[in-house]
Amino acid sequence: QVQLVESGGGLVQPGGSLRLSCTASDFTLDYYAIGWFRQAPGKEREGVSCISSGHDSTYYADSLKGRFTISRDNAGNVYLQMNKLKPEDTANYFCAAGGSFHSADPSRGMDFWGRGTPVTVSS
C-alpha cells in the first residue's frame, strides 16, 4: 500500500505562489505516474496536472496552463509549483499515484490517493 503525503499548502494572497510536494512514506514514487487533483468546497474533484513515471509526459488542465508546473526529482518526489494564484484556486489539493494517467480522465489509472493539503488564496 502506497501512502502519499502532501505538504506545502497554506494561505497566500492573490498573485502569490506556493509549491506543493507529494512524497510517499517508505516508498519511492519513481515507478508511478503521479497526478495532482483539487477539490473546492461544494465542487467536484478536478484534475490539475499529471506526470508520467518516465518524466516524459505531462498533463495540465487547460485553465491552469502557464501558471502551474509539475515536476519530479530523482528521489521520486513530485512537486506542483503554483504561480499567480487566484481566489478560485482555493481548494484541497491532493496527489495520487498509479500506473499511468489519461488526459481525458486524469483520475483513471490512479490507484493510491493522499488526503491533501489545503490551499487558500485570499487577501
Side-chain angles (χ1 to χ4, degrees):
Q1 183 77 12
V2 176
Q3 292 186 327
L4 302 173
V5 179
E6 303 91 340
S7 61
L11 173 64
V12 63
Q13 292 188 341
S17 298
L18 283 174
R19 187 191 194 209
L20 306 183
S21 299
C22 176
T23 60
S25 54
D26 302 322
F27 203 89
T28 178
L29 296 177
D30 255 358
Y31 304 109
Y32 290 92
I34 302 296
W36 282 101
F37 299 81
R38 68 184 184 183
Q39 187 165 20
K43 295 189 176 182
E44 292 188 358
R45 183 178 65 199
E46 175 186 13
V48 173
S49 182
C50 301
I51 188 167
S52 64
S53 59
H55 302 222
D56 57 350
S57 182
T58 58
Y59 158 84
Y60 293 96
D62 286 342
S63 61
L64 302 175
K65 286 179 182 176
R67 294 197 297 124
F68 288 16
T69 303
I70 193 169
S71 63
R72 61 194 313 163
D73 61 22
N74 292 331
N77 303 312
V78 178
Y79 306 97
L80 184 69
Q81 178 67 42
M82 306 188 296
N83 298 327
K84 299 179 182 179
L85 284 162
K86 305 175 182 180
E88 51 263 42
D89 294 318
T90 295
N92 188 44
Y93 284 73
F94 45 100
C95 62
S100 62
F101 68 86
H102 305 269
S103 297
D105 181 5
S107 62
R108 198 172 116 208
M110 296 295 163
D111 299 313
F112 307 103
W113 296 81
R115 293 188 174 186
T117 182
V119 171
T120 302
V121 185
S122 175
S123 55

